[in-house]
Amino acid sequence: PDAKGIAAAYDDGAVHLWTVQSGNPIAQCKVDEKAGFVSWSPDGKSLAVMVSPQGQLNGSVTHAVVFDVETGTQKYGLRPRGRGQINRIAWSPDGASIAGSGDEGRIWDTRSGRLLSQDIPAASGLGWSPDSTALAVGRESGVTIYDVESSGELHEMAASDPSLIVYSGDGNLLAATDGENHTDVLVWNLDSPDEPLHAFKGRHRSSIRDLGWRDDKTLVSGSASEVCLWNLETGKLKGLKSVPVD
């Protein structure tokens, strides 16, 4: 998170961590199966690693493991019930919780790995509110926002299977990918979320892979072919940069 470290996962289960400035190794972690997507905790002291069975052709992730970055030792595992799968994880901004979803949704305590909630449904996307009190969950029919403490629904907004969901820094706006191929973006004002505040469509030629806020007035969406900057005050495209494709 502080841009001082980098982590890389390998098919043999090894995870290597280096300092960015010097390239010196920080630690090496190891899982028993295939290591995949990695996610740093907000304070940079822990690393969650998604784990897939060796030889599994579809790349399904069965669970995640959390490591201590300084020592490379395993702290705890995050597992679904039975033979379920986890295909995405998201740390809360305060670092106290981590959400995971696949066949089901769960929230764990990051200090102990203890399960806090299993009342969150399966999700295609996850997004925490800046104050860590609410979790936005992307489903086939749209986005549902849950109160983390009670697991009660706060808002429900229509969208097409959103895979990327991000709150603005002040927590007033929520953006999510939309469209059959995830090429569009919807933005809601959470004070009146019944209808989107903006619908940004027709600029991306391929699926959006990253979505984030430059500030509370500018949203950035990136695909393999272009990066778009959206002005939230005018609802119009602020800038577009084409990405060279070899």
Side-chain angles (χ1 to χ4, degrees):
D2 59 5
K4 294 181 179 179
I6 188 169
Y10 298 88
D11 288 350
D12 64 358
V15 181
H16 294 271
L17 296 89
W18 302 272
T19 58
V20 172
Q21 187 171 5
S22 67
N24 293 330
I26 300 172
Q28 180 174 336
C29 314
K30 181 73 174 179
V31 296
D32 293 335
E33 299 178 277
K34 181 179 178 180
F37 172 80
V38 298
S39 178
W40 293 85
S41 63
D43 63 6
K45 295 181 179 179
S46 298
L47 186 76
V49 180
M50 308 291 275
V51 180
S52 301
Q54 292 285 2
Q56 189 159 308
L57 297 179
N58 62 7
S60 296
V61 176
T62 57
H63 64 285
V65 177
V66 177
F67 290 93
D68 181 285
V69 168
E70 185 176 356
T71 64
T73 57
Q74 180 176 329
K75 299 172 69 175
Y76 49 80
L78 308 175
R79 293 182 178 273
R81 289 175 291 187
R83 297 180 178 273
Q85 298 176 352
I86 296 176
N87 56 30
R88 62 192 68 247
I89 52 175
W91 295 84
S92 62
D94 64 6
S97 305
I98 186 168
S101 185
D103 297 328
E104 60 185 8
R106 290 186 157 197
I107 299 175
W108 292 270
D109 179 277
T110 57
R111 292 175 291 273
S112 64
R114 180 175 61 89
L115 181 66
L116 297 176
S117 173
Q118 54 187 22
D119 298 324
I120 305 300
S124 55
L126 297 168
W128 285 91
S129 64
D131 62 5
S132 302
T133 63
L135 181 67
V137 175
R139 306 173 68 185
E140 186 174 347
S141 58
V143 179
T144 304
I145 300 178
Y146 292 89
D147 178 87
V148 172
E149 185 175 354
S150 68
S151 298
E153 293 187 14
L154 300 175
H155 303 294
E156 189 168 0
M157 296 89 80
S160 179
D161 197 26
S163 59
L164 299 174
I165 305 170
V166 288
Y167 277 84
S168 60
D170 59 12
N172 294 328
L173 303 177
L174 185 77
T177 52
D178 184 50
E180 182 179 356
N181 297 313
H182 305 289
T183 54
D184 303 326
V185 179
L186 298 177
V187 180
W188 294 270
N189 184 325
L190 295 180
D191 288 332
S192 53
D194 292 340
E195 295 292 333
L197 176 67
H198 299 298
F200 300 130
K201 299 178 181 287
R203 291 292 185 173
H204 285 285
R205 291 169 290 169
S206 57
S207 297
I208 295 171
R209 297 181 179 180
D210 203 3
L211 187 66
W213 294 88
R214 182 177 180 181
D215 52 52
D216 291 336
K217 298 178 181 179
T218 308
L219 182 70
V220 182
S221 57
S223 66
S225 48
E226 53 271 314
V227 176
C228 296
L229 277 72
W230 306 97
N231 187 315
L232 271 297
E233 291 186 321
T234 65
K236 295 182 179 179
L237 184 68
K238 185 176 182 179
L240 185 149
K241 177 68 175 179
S242 296
V243 178
V245 178
D246 294 331

